[in-house]
Amino acid sequence: MNGYGGGSYGLSEPKGLRERAREYALLPLRLFLGITFVYAGLDKLTDSGFLSATGAGSIGEMMHAVRDSSAVPALVDLALKSPEGFGYALAIGELLVGLGTLVGLWARLAALGGALISLSLWLTVSWQATPYYYGNDLPYLMAWLPLVLAGAAVFSADAFLASRRRRIR
């Protein structure tokens, strides 16, 4: 026996390059989205101007500016009831989604959160972008979908916890 065994013995063969590439394929996407969302959340939380109801660069002013051109004005109206609260919720949501994605903890749930944030921003803030591909929220939404479907298979808390559960059984 060569140390790896054969399929008939129930032992696994060493992984080939294609198999390894498939296993790690979503890691760059996870890193990019995780870092981007952590940065976006921290950027908003540290910008007192953004977390205001009025003023240049504020969440309130941005919501007023996009209200009539958004696909879902009712969503903007909801945010305008408490612009500061919405700003904090958005920033904290981005931060938690980014951290969950980077660490790979509840990765599918974190990716779903990222997709929902991107969807809501696409339907409100970047909806009026013409042509549609000038707005960046739709590509972010599409980028989250593979992570919603596949989760975080490598270098993740989810994979660690799953292997630990298998060893305990």
Side-chain angles (χ1 to χ4, degrees):
M1 220 162 33
N2 62 9
Y4 294 111
S8 61
Y9 299 107
L11 300 174
S12 63
E13 294 288 327
K15 291 183 180 179
L17 185 59
R18 283 187 182 176
E19 209 173 316
R20 283 231 184 262
R22 213 177 354 260
E23 187 178 337
Y24 290 88
L26 293 178
L27 189 57
L29 186 60
R30 229 178 90 205
L31 291 172
F32 170 74
L33 290 171
I35 290 168
T36 300
F37 268 57
V38 166
Y39 179 78
L42 289 175
D43 189 43
K44 288 174 179 69
L45 287 172
T46 58
D47 182 356
S48 59
F50 175 80
L51 295 170
S52 301
T54 59
S58 71
I59 184 71
E61 288 297 317
M62 182 176 60
M63 291 289 105
H64 281 293
V66 301
R67 197 249 175 237
D68 293 332
S69 62
S70 76
V72 188
L75 192 58
V76 178
D77 290 338
L78 183 65
L80 284 170
K81 288 184 183 200
S82 176
E84 298 96 337
F86 177 74
Y88 276 105
L90 177 61
I92 292 168
E94 287 174 337
L95 184 59
L96 291 176
V97 161
L99 290 172
T101 301
L102 284 175
V103 174
L105 181 62
W106 300 328
R108 284 189 169 116
L109 183 61
L112 180 61
L116 291 174
I117 290 170
S118 297
L119 175 64
S120 64
L121 291 174
W122 175 54
L123 292 174
T124 56
V125 177
S126 62
W127 182 257
Q128 73 279 3
T130 305
Y132 75 92
Y133 50 83
Y134 280 175
N136 64 347
D137 296 307
L138 182 58
Y140 276 103
L141 170 61
M142 294 299 122
W144 282 112
L145 296 181
L147 296 177
V148 170
L149 296 172
V154 294
F155 297 119
S156 70
D158 290 346
F160 172 76
L161 294 171
S163 71
R164 194 166 156 214
R165 280 191 300 268
R166 281 192 299 271
R167 277 184 278 154
I168 291 172
R169 290 181 187 167

